[in-house]
Amino acid sequence: MTLRQRTHWFALHGVIRELASYGAKRGEMQGRLIADLTVRADPGGFADELRALGPLVRGRAAWLTTDHALAHQLLRSDEFSVTSLGSTLPRPLGWVERKTVVKGRLHPLLPPSLLSVEPPEHTRYRKTVSSVFTTRAVAALRVRVQDAAAALIDDVSADPSETVDIVDRYCSQLPVTVIGDILGVPDADRSRILEFGELAAPSLDIGLPFEQYLRVERGLDGFNEWLANHIGRLRSAPGDDLMSQLIAASEDGTRLNDEELRATAGLVLAAGFETTVNLLGSGIRILLDHPDQLAMLLDDPDLWPGAVEEILRLESPVQLSARVARDDTEVAGRTVKGGELVILYLAGANRDPAVFADPHRFDVTRENAGKHLSFSGGRHFCLGAALARAEGEVGLRTFFERYPNAALAGAGSRRETRVLRGWSSLPIALGQARTAVRS
Ligand code: HEM
């Protein structure tokens, strides 16, 4: 541990952490979102409390909204832009943060990450990735998702009496296998990038404890180093994969420099496995908690696409995003000043009773479940949404058709992350296996 790390952590997380726990104890909503463990246990209850205070609530350092129409509008508004880590800190802390940040280290919430840039850079990066991740290319991936799920489910267990941690054995493996396959990652490297991902996942959160901050730095550094080598290997020996195509696309037309290419490719890869694992884990858990809904799906597999939307709605794997006002602007009858942050609590917008009737109820036949905001909206709409949906559908269906009698064998544990929501372990008694039916 160095003085630089201590100082950087203090400016970026330490002060916020203290203020958030102080605020949370006094019931302040932004403080609670960061520091109150009951929010993670019951995001729906917290969303209701927040909603009762109005469509736009003033927190200690940012505005908050759970209003579906407002979140939808702000995600698409040109008066708001994405923000980057540390950019909205109060002036002296921001200064210290900038002086102590490691220059050149790639981070999902720092430029040139797609998540932290706006046009013209965003347009240039996004155009390059979209030229490779075309709708046709993604549609063709469904077969690869099916093959990967079938192979993985065969490996989950040979023994039906066994209890397995399904997150470790299946939910985390499917996304990394699929995105790794798409992006030319050697099989032998998968467990390493999963480890980096696990360490770096809290990089989207603020108010981290110091030890966790150090683990995030280790994960980001390890991932960055691995990625630079991976791109180098594919540059000298391109393969039949989308990463090789992305490298080629970055070298002509729209042009990405080396750092931009690494940031873009790294985000696609990391977003590809760090989010979908949560959709699968939460999906298995919520279906085991609602056997009547699971029975409907096993009876009528055409319901799976709608069920995945409903899982995304109720268990949003990305709980929130944020946008910053470019100038003073009127929002829901309040003045949001230029430079102020609005936290879009997507998990709350997904339970807005103005859009979703009986919003806390899990209903795989809900007609408008797909109106959720779990993939964000506007320019930054999730690039991998179609792939994530395919993995959710195929992954969950494959699991439950093979193990229709699966049952929870313990409480499991939730991931510690705030922005990302999912299970870090979920013990399952598999029960007798059935031969899988192909989707
Ligand atoms: C259930 C799974 C997933 C969820 C819930 C999810 C959610 C999101 C959300 C909420 C954003 C936008 C954040 C914002 O507006 O601030 C986003 C952006 C993004 N996602 Fe996903 N994602 C998922 C899977 C994937 C997959 C599988 C990939 C890769 C193939 C991917 C790649 C990306 C990329 C590259 C962006 C940045 C887009 C931009 O800023 O233009 N995501 N995702």
Side-chain angles (χ1 to χ4, degrees):
M1 179 229 306
T2 63
L3 182 62
R4 185 218 49 89
Q5 286 172 317
R6 262 279 170 213
T7 316
H8 186 244
W9 167 80
F10 176 79
L12 189 58
H13 296 289
V15 176
I16 294 176
R17 188 172 167 76
E18 280 304 310
L19 289 176
S21 354
Y22 179 82
K25 282 189 198 122
R26 276 148 193 80
E28 193 273 311
M29 295 313 255
Q30 193 185 354
R32 287 188 59 201
L33 192 54
I34 297 170
D36 180 352
L37 287 178
T38 63
V39 174
R40 192 169 35 183
D42 179 19
F46 178 72
D48 284 349
E49 283 184 58
L50 197 50
R51 198 184 323 281
L53 301 175
L56 190 65
V57 178
R58 186 82 188 102
R60 196 183 180 96
W63 299 87
L64 296 107
T65 185
T66 51
D67 189 274
H68 187 282
L70 193 53
H72 186 273
Q73 176 200 326
L74 295 187
L75 286 169
R76 285 159 182 79
S77 167
D78 285 329
E79 289 165 47
F80 283 81
S81 68
V82 288
T83 169
S84 56
L85 202 65
S87 65
T88 53
L89 286 173
R91 210 167 277 164
L93 285 181
W95 184 85
V96 175
E97 196 276 329
R98 280 192 302 281
K99 287 280 170 214
T100 50
V101 68
V102 175
K103 304 277 182 294
R105 172 190 279 146
L106 296 182
H107 188 289
L109 295 182
L110 285 178
S113 160
L114 270 166
L115 290 172
S116 303
V117 292
E118 290 291 8
E121 285 79 16
H122 182 264
T123 319
R124 186 160 55 89
Y125 307 162
R126 181 106 187 188
K127 224 166 123 187
T128 312
V129 209
S130 308
S131 72
V132 171
F133 263 79
T134 58
T135 317
R136 236 174 96 214
V138 174
L141 295 174
R142 198 179 171 92
V143 178
R144 284 158 95 166
V145 175
Q146 280 167 342
D147 291 345
L152 284 168
I153 204 77
D154 284 343
D155 286 347
V156 164
S157 176
D159 175 4
S161 67
E162 202 189 339
T163 293
V164 300
D165 175 4
I166 204 65
V167 175
D168 178 46
R169 297 280 272 276
Y170 185 69
C171 306
S172 62
Q173 301 298 331
L174 180 61
V176 78
T177 303
V178 172
I179 198 76
D181 184 21
I182 296 169
L183 297 179
V185 177
D187 293 359
D189 287 3
R190 274 184 214 147
S191 57
R192 274 182 72 208
I193 65 168
L194 270 181
E195 268 170 46
F196 296 144
E198 186 57 32
L199 290 171
S203 60
L204 301 178
D205 295 336
I206 54 164
L208 295 180
F210 185 58
E211 293 307 316
Q212 203 175 28
Y213 161 88
L214 291 179
R215 286 199 294 274
V216 166
E217 284 208 329
R218 266 207 330 272
L220 289 174
D221 286 345
F223 184 66
N224 280 322
E225 196 187 321
W226 172 87
L227 184 66
N229 289 333
H230 181 55
I231 291 177
R233 272 195 306 268
L234 292 180
R235 204 170 245 145
S236 49
D240 178 23
D241 57 83
L242 295 188
M243 182 76 97
S244 297
Q245 289 178 30
L246 185 60
I247 295 169
S250 74
E251 281 163 3
D252 58 56
T254 50
R255 282 216 166 264
L256 301 188
N257 68 29
D258 206 51
E259 192 189 10
E260 291 168 341
L261 170 65
R262 266 189 300 125
T264 308
L267 183 69
V268 174
L269 176 54
F273 67 86
E274 268 304 313
T275 45
T276 317
V277 52
N278 303 318
L279 169 61
L280 294 171
S282 297
I284 289 178
R285 175 65 196 245
I286 202 168
L287 284 166
L288 290 176
D289 285 344
H290 295 82
D292 56 322
Q293 302 285 309
L294 177 58
M296 284 163 69
L297 290 164
L298 291 173
D299 207 42
D300 179 2
D302 289 346
L303 294 176
W304 275 111
V308 168
E309 299 307 325
E310 181 69 344
I311 295 163
L312 283 163
R313 183 183 76 82
L314 272 185
E315 288 287 342
S316 188
V318 178
Q319 293 274 289
L320 56 92
S321 185
R323 293 295 186 265
V324 65
R326 293 181 196 269
D327 294 301
D328 293 5
T329 175
E330 286 293 301
V331 179
R334 315 282 298 266
T335 303
V336 177
K337 296 214 177 90
E340 283 185 345
L341 197 68
V342 183
I343 295 171
L344 311 170
Y345 191 42
L346 305 175
N350 287 347
R351 291 171 185 249
D352 186 338
V355 178
F356 304 104
D358 198 359
H360 302 305
R361 191 161 60 90
F362 179 57
D363 175 3
V364 297
T365 64
R366 185 185 291 276
E367 292 212 332
N368 68 350
K371 280 195 182 303
H372 64 72
L373 298 180
S374 299
F375 290 125
S376 181
R379 276 191 290 284
H380 293 272
F381 181 79
C382 175
L383 181 94
L387 179 60
R389 285 181 160 125
E391 288 182 31
E393 252 175 80
V394 172
L396 292 172
R397 182 175 172 186
T398 303
F399 173 75
F400 281 111
E401 288 185 345
R402 179 68 62 95
Y403 293 109
N405 302 312
L408 274 178
S413 54
R414 282 211 167 272
R415 294 183 85 170
E416 284 182 1
T417 45
R418 296 304 163 109
V419 172
L420 297 177
R421 175 177 176 80
W423 292 91
S424 57
S425 80
L426 211 49
I428 301 285
L430 293 169
Q432 199 61 46
R434 270 200 210 146
T435 313
V437 183
R438 270 299 179 91
S439 343

